Amino acid sequence: MSNVLWQPIEVGPMELKNRVVSAPIATNTSTKDGLPTADTLDINEKLAESGVALSIVEHHAVHKDGRTRLRQLLLDRDEVIPYQQKLTELYHTNGCNVVVQINHAGSLVQDEEMMVEDWAPVAPSALRHPRCSLYVMPRPLKTEEISHLVELYAEAAARAVRAGYGGVEIHACHGYLIGQFLSPLTNQRKDRYGGDIKNRARFLFEVYEAVRGLLSDEHVVAVRLGVADSMPNEEPRGLTIEDSKWVAKELAAMEVDFIDISGNHCGYDGEGEGYFADYALAIKDVVGDTPVVCTGGITKLSTARTLLEKGSCDLVGLGRALRRNYKIVREWEAKSREDLHQR
Ligand SMILES: Cc1cc2nc3c(=O)[nH]c(=O)nc-3n(C[C@H](O)[C@H](O)[C@H](O)COP(=O)(O)O)c2cc1C
């Protein structure tokens, strides 16, 4: 089919059969120990059968204290591996590529029950999170604690590939811990992890290098980057597109397998079709051949096709549209075939 949406693409070691990716959507379906349940498996089976070329499975916390919600899935210990194997098996059976997102929430704690006595979440600085609805005053990380956190991401990534994932996506957006480091709104550190963007991005780069170092070249290591703290239609504040262009360029130089675009402290919920198109294009412009994924408000075949044809991105991500209709990719394929015959 001549429609660019159905053209294959190489993403690091992975051969993707088309340009449609399932974006990570947290399901809050884990057991209280962070294991997948029948509900988690059911959702992932539908995604595996949906016709997407790659599924980025919802964010998994690298440590129990790095959860944003109590029912978040965990990759914090080896015991999760056999349970996770059941999940990846669904993708293998359906010939669908799969990676998992790894995350630490830092100060973005969203379930009140998590705020038990004598515990405070960690963050770059002792500042309240701009998007957290609970009253949470985080404990600022000591410089020497940061390398331990870096190791937690790498260990979680190693577990992910042992469980059968084709790689990982590092969550560096939506104001979670890495996003907290990237943004001057939540990072006022005076050490080498705070100050200009070179310092604020240090934590992300260390995580990336540690993960890359533990995985082989046969595995994907990707980054989901929060490009700015404001949505495209808002007054810029905090983390800027210029900052993120520099970060993306560095990641490309470090041979990241793809960069997935979203917002940082502004979150992911915008208006209209393909609302992060300008952010994706800004990043695509500076990363050369590194594949870029654009997600956000894509519900129509025409939007997906236009984004790809304009060169704003190499892949499109579907979040809510795919969960509302698991047949959407098959329907788009059928429609593209019809369009071709009618020419
Ligand atoms: C309920 C819900 C959970 C989400 N969970 C995640 C997540 O685990 N990781 C992530 O990076 N983004 C997450 N997102 C953001 C989506 O991946 C996506 O960027 C966003 O929904 C916009 O795309 P869409 O309009 O296609 O849904 C979540 C969004 C929603 C609505």
Side-chain angles (χ1 to χ4, degrees):
M1 277 189 276
S2 71
N3 186 334
V4 61
L5 210 57
W6 315 113
Q7 287 171 10
I9 182 173
E10 275 178 26
V11 166
M14 268 179 194
E15 297 266 348
L16 303 190
K17 63 180 179 189
N18 63 44
R19 306 302 181 96
V20 193
V21 169
S22 168
I25 296 266
T27 56
N28 283 314
T29 56
S30 84
T31 65
K32 64 178 175 23
D33 301 321
L35 303 174
T37 57
D39 286 346
T40 325
L41 298 181
D42 184 47
I43 292 164
N44 279 280
E45 184 163 32
K46 291 192 182 107
L47 295 172
E49 291 168 348
S50 69
V52 297
L54 169 69
S55 177
I56 305 169
V57 174
E58 65 183 283
H59 64 170
H60 282 49
V62 300
H63 189 274
K64 194 168 79 43
D65 289 345
R67 288 175 300 176
T68 185
R69 290 194 184 276
L70 280 173
R71 295 290 167 158
Q72 188 180 352
L73 289 148
L74 286 164
L75 274 169
D76 63 331
R77 60 196 192 282
D78 289 354
E79 289 75 49
V80 306
I81 294 172
Y83 299 90
Q84 286 285 339
Q85 277 165 342
K86 289 191 190 139
L87 196 160
T88 59
E89 193 50 42
L90 299 168
Y91 287 96
H92 301 156
T93 309
N94 284 285
C96 182
N97 288 291
V98 63
V99 299
V100 62
Q101 203 182 41
I102 51 173
N103 195 20
H104 190 298
S107 60
L108 189 42
V109 174
Q110 300 189 70
D111 280 343
E112 186 126 43
E113 302 90 303
M114 292 172 68
M115 292 308 298
V116 290
E117 225 179 302
D118 294 335
W119 180 75
V122 294
S125 304
L127 293 167
R128 278 195 66 196
H129 192 287
R131 222 158 51 87
C132 186
S133 56
L134 304 177
Y135 184 87
V136 176
M137 183 50 79
R139 177 176 75 72
L141 282 158
K142 297 190 187 102
T143 309
E144 58 276 17
E145 282 178 300
I146 294 177
S147 55
H148 174 61
L149 282 173
V150 170
E151 275 167 35
L152 292 180
Y153 281 86
E155 287 164 7
R159 281 181 203 111
V161 300
R162 281 170 62 201
Y165 287 102
V168 295
E169 178 178 83
I170 298 164
H171 200 324
C173 55
H174 307 162
Y176 291 109
L177 186 60
I178 297 177
Q180 289 158 31
F181 270 92
L182 288 172
S183 171
L185 301 180
T186 38
N187 182 351
Q188 293 177 4
R189 297 181 71 87
K190 302 280 177 255
D191 63 2
R192 62 181 188 279
Y193 294 95
D196 64 11
I197 187 61
K198 289 186 182 152
N199 279 354
R200 286 185 274 124
R202 192 180 303 279
F203 180 57
L204 166 61
F205 296 157
E206 288 182 0
V207 168
Y208 173 80
E209 292 287 14
V211 169
R212 183 81 277 173
L214 269 196
L215 269 46
S216 82
D217 288 347
E218 285 157 36
H219 296 121
V220 161
V221 183
V223 170
R224 191 163 207 204
L225 187 63
V227 173
D229 283 333
S230 45
M231 295 302 278
N233 58 347
E234 290 172 354
E235 199 58 30
R237 67 189 174 111
L239 180 70
T240 64
I241 303 175
E242 285 310 309
D243 288 342
S244 295
K245 279 162 73 172
W246 180 81
V247 174
K249 237 168 129 170
E250 291 293 304
L251 288 170
M254 290 181 213
E255 299 185 359
V256 68
D257 288 314
F258 66 85
I259 300 180
D260 187 4
I261 299 305
S262 200
N264 192 40
H265 281 316
C266 57
Y268 49 71
D269 210 1
E271 281 166 25
E273 283 279 319
Y275 46 80
F276 279 133
D278 289 349
Y279 286 0
L281 182 59
I283 299 302
K284 186 65 211 168
D285 263 352
V286 295
V287 297
D289 291 340
T290 304
V292 167
V293 185
C294 180
T295 306
I298 301 170
T299 66
K300 293 184 190 154
L301 171 60
S302 56
T303 311
R305 183 176 182 168
T306 306
L307 283 167
L308 294 167
E309 282 177 353
K310 278 191 174 164
S312 306
C313 57
D314 305 280
L315 294 142
V316 290
L318 297 184
R320 291 163 291 188
L322 180 59
R323 275 66 178 184
R324 281 195 295 269
N325 172 15
Y326 287 103
K327 295 201 176 91
I328 190 169
V329 182
R330 305 286 183 203
E331 289 169 5
W332 285 2
E333 272 177 309
K335 173 88 177 59
S336 302
R337 232 175 270 125
E338 244 173 59
D339 289 349
L340 198 67
H341 287 141
Q342 277 168 8
R343 279 222 200 135

